[in-house]
Amino acid sequence: MHATFAQVQTGYINKTGTAEKILKTQYVDGMNVLGIIMFCIVMGLVVSRVGKEAEPLAKFFHALDVVITRMVMIIMWLGPIGIPSLIAQKMLEVSDLVSTARMLGLFMFTVILGLAIQCFITLPLIFFIGTRKNPYTFLRGLGQAILTALGTSSSAASLPVTFRCLNNLGIDPRVTKFVLPVGAMVNMDGTALYEATASIFIAQMNGMNLSIGQIITVSITATLASIGAASIPSAGLVTMLIVLTALGLPASDISLIIAVDWFLDRLRTSVNVIGDALGCGFVHYICADHLNADVEEAEKNNNALQAHGVDFAELEREGGVVVIERV
């Protein structure tokens, strides 16, 4: 509870009766974001390990997630009124509108460049190192999924199309059914990149020069915060508040980038979908031998059942079990 309203910082204080300064940790106002995130991760792991006894707690958090998601959807319906009002208020506060527009243009260029490097260099390089296959041929088969992500700005809404594209590419359905839903909720590499860049941009707008330690803090916090982002449009703006709080920046400045977020949100969602799909391809390659062995074993069992005069399809419908002794 303490981590929700205070964080620990190290500062210099004067030693009593002398001019000497000593280091001492002290609490200051502000949310301890990393502490909360680590606590939530540990709690989730422990709840999953405890099992049935922790089931009521897991259902509580699931219900809380559903309720908050519904609240966000209600707020999004008010977006056409609230967002222009926030932008208008911020524009009235800006003394040099041309300079601010130029900075926003450079911010958009930086984000687009970073997403392009992630999409066409970093992810394909990881895929190539892991599978020794041409990643761009794989990307060519994801055209429909990428277009759907551009249109919907939602990884969850793009899931059916992504499933179909990966099935056409020959990825085992057992892999896609496990990796894609997890990736749509957890793997937000485009969102993490966007949040880190936007936080640094807002810091520069406030005349704040970030140190190496603060940049590392931004990177870690943006990565962890993106894991908790929902796969709905503009969800990154909500989790970006966590990153801004970690830097001690005013959350109201987020209204400055809302004007361009609708466009950048579609691009980062596309990168998220591409990352999920390449992850499926990577897992399929790693587990190919095991998957093929399971298929061969299933075919042998099916042939054995048929050789003994058992209708395997009828048996499966009835839910029966047949034990075949082998000599």
Side-chain angles (χ1 to χ4, degrees):
M1 294 298 296
H2 201 181
T4 60
F5 58 84
Q7 55 183 314
V8 180
Q9 287 186 356
T10 303
Y12 287 96
I13 62 173
N14 292 325
K15 189 175 181 179
T16 305
T18 63
E20 181 184 358
K21 291 187 176 182
I22 58 175
L23 285 173
K24 185 178 180 180
T25 57
Q26 53 191 354
Y27 286 99
V28 296
D29 292 337
M31 186 182 298
N32 185 3
V33 180
L34 291 179
I36 294 175
I37 292 175
M38 289 304 300
F39 174 80
C40 293
I41 292 174
V42 173
M43 174 175 280
L45 293 174
V46 173
V47 167
S48 64
R49 294 286 295 179
V50 170
K52 190 174 182 179
E53 294 181 357
E55 189 174 343
L57 184 61
K59 289 183 178 179
F60 166 76
F61 285 115
H62 177 72
L64 187 65
D65 175 65
V66 173
V67 171
I68 292 178
T69 302
R70 183 63 59 86
M71 292 172 60
V72 172
M73 293 299 296
I74 295 174
I75 294 172
M76 288 177 62
W77 278 104
L78 299 176
I81 300 174
I83 292 176
S85 301
L86 290 174
I87 296 174
Q89 178 188 3
K90 201 64 183 179
M91 290 178 64
L92 292 175
E93 295 176 356
V94 174
S95 58
D96 190 350
L97 192 59
V98 176
S99 177
T100 304
R102 187 183 302 113
M103 294 178 65
L104 273 176
L106 291 175
F107 165 69
M108 291 182 62
F109 173 77
T110 303
V111 173
I112 293 173
L113 180 61
L115 293 175
I117 293 174
Q118 175 75 1
C119 179
F120 297 110
I121 298 178
T122 305
L123 291 176
L125 182 61
I126 296 173
F127 182 83
F128 174 75
I129 293 174
T131 64
R132 294 297 190 273
K133 293 183 179 180
N134 188 352
Y136 299 104
T137 303
F138 192 90
L139 285 175
R140 195 179 301 118
L142 300 175
Q144 292 183 357
I146 296 173
L147 290 176
T148 305
L150 286 172
T152 61
S153 300
S154 171
S155 301
S158 306
L159 271 180
V161 183
T162 310
F163 274 117
R164 185 167 62 248
C165 291
L166 291 177
N167 289 336
N168 294 336
L169 289 170
I171 304 299
D172 195 293
R174 289 172 293 177
V175 175
T176 58
K177 290 178 182 179
F178 173 75
V179 176
L180 278 184
V182 175
M185 296 302 298
V186 176
N187 182 36
M188 301 287 186
D189 47 346
T191 303
L193 188 150
Y194 172 77
E195 290 182 359
T197 307
S199 301
I200 295 174
F201 168 71
I202 292 175
Q204 292 176 346
M205 285 286 294
N206 286 272
M208 179 180 178
N209 294 321
L210 300 180
S211 63
I212 298 297
Q214 289 175 316
I215 292 177
I216 294 175
T217 301
V218 169
S219 302
I220 296 175
T221 309
T223 302
L224 295 176
S226 65
I227 295 175
S231 52
I232 59 176
S234 298
L237 290 177
V238 179
T239 54
M240 193 184 300
L241 297 175
I242 300 176
V243 185
L244 294 179
T245 304
L247 291 175
L249 294 171
S252 59
D253 285 352
I254 200 173
S255 60
L256 187 64
I257 61 176
I258 290 180
V260 296
D261 181 75
W262 66 271
F263 174 69
L264 298 177
D265 185 27
R266 301 174 187 275
L267 298 181
R268 66 176 184 262
T269 302
S270 301
V271 175
N272 293 339
V273 170
I274 291 173
D276 298 340
L278 290 175
C280 281
F282 189 91
V283 173
H284 175 81
Y285 178 82
I286 297 298
C287 302
D289 294 337
H290 178 71
L291 295 171
N292 294 333
D294 288 346
V295 172
E296 293 176 0
E297 183 67 22
E299 290 178 351
K300 289 179 181 179
N301 292 337
N302 190 13
N303 293 335
L305 289 170
Q306 293 178 355
H308 285 74
V310 178
D311 188 346
F312 187 73
E314 182 68 24
L315 178 67
E316 194 174 47
R317 285 194 296 269
E318 295 177 357
V321 177
V322 174
V323 178
I324 300 176
E325 295 182 0
R326 295 183 181 178
V327 180

